[in-house]
Amino acid sequence: MAGVEEGLKRLIAASGPITIAQFMTEALMHPKDGYYTTRTPFGAAGDFITAPEVSQMFGELLGLWAVDYWQRAGRPAPVHLVELGPGRGTLMADFLRAARTVPAFPEAADLHLVETSPNLKAAQEKSLAQSPLQPHWHEQLMDVPDGPMILIANEFFDCLPIRQFQFTDGGWHERRVGLDDTDNFVFVLAPGTPPTAPDISPAGGAILEISPAAISVTSAIAERIRAHGGAALIIDYGYDQSGFGDTFQAVKGHAYADPLKEPGQADLTAHVDFSLLARTAREAGTAVFGPAPQGAFLKTLGVETRARTLKEKADERQRQDIDTALHRLTDAKQMGTLFKVLAITQPDGPAPAGFEGTA
Ligand code: SAH
């Protein structure tokens, strides 16, 4: 039995069922045996593939988006370029290559990467070795110095720990992780009410998911942007209307797996509640745009033109790869609709590109 699983079982045996948030935190972030601590999970050989790993076009377009916003916001300098959960560093390498077309931007910017996994930090260092900016690493956003910032977070919020509450027998209970008679992890209901009540009344059995960490990271981003200016772009899979439902999932080897099986060996995530993030940012005094579907957002930014340009210099096989990537990033049945993009900006600033018709 792996270290995480044994530790969690000991903890539950000693002190009773734990929250799903505790389970996720240990499984993903355990300093020695956590999923993100021990692995580089992306790509064909890993457990899943993310948009920047699908195509260089993704990071490039975000780089151009950022430079455009920065210019129209009056070119604040210095500006902190911040990425939350940069994975292998692929997005930022593509981003900076595109952003370099306006040399004043890299000159004004300093790069801050928020990453907890030493393994992925090493991968980021390698990907960014040729980059025009030297990265500074931080464990959390709070450690990034204050000032105007442009922040990017792709597939970061989905791995922030969630709690689940279930409405049964006329009241709320917290769904926790306990152990059955044969020492396997199982969901159990324990006394507990949600920290924020839903707007709509639940039917019997309804499950409410809340990520306290997602709320606190969003408030921290919005507070900074309101106080110092700038913009943030949050991209992830999720829903744009708060509601009920269980989206706690595990992915292993490009397939869904049982989230309570073998903690530390699979990626654990939940869908992101974009309406809650948007509300949190608005309440903190920032402007909010979207969420826009990823496909529409990338098309507005010119992903099809970028694909055509790349194809001009490509051989037949590469041309096919570019078409496949474009389809994957934008098609409604692929990442085009499930993935959404939310922008948080300074209240008196320009409108960010890509949200025409969605604000
Ligand atoms: N953005 C990348 C990677 C997404 S996976 C891409 O699109 O390919 C999630 C990333 O967030 C990983 O780098 C993981 O180590 C990091 N991460 C997850 N939770 C974190 C936390 N609480 N603090 C800092 N980094 C975190």
Side-chain angles (χ1 to χ4, degrees), residues 8 22-23 46 73 78 99 120 130 153-154 165-167 184 197 227 259 266 269 275 285 306 316 356:
L8 282 169
Q22 280 175 291
F23 187 86
L120 290 173
Q130 309 298 323
N154 186 61
F165 297 88
Q166 191 161 20
F167 194 80
N184 288 315
T269 69
S275 66
R306 182 68 187 128
E316 180 52 31
E356 290 76 355

Side-chain angles (χ1 to χ4, degrees), residues 217-230:
V217 174
T218 306
S219 326
I221 293 172
E223 295 287 336
R224 257 168 204 258
I225 289 179
R226 188 189 45 77
H228 304 286

Side-chain angles (χ1 to χ4, degrees), residues 9 91 96 100 134 139 206 278 295 342:
K9 286 186 172 168
L91 190 161
L96 289 171
R100 250 178 152 157
Q134 275 307 306
E139 299 267 315
L342 184 80

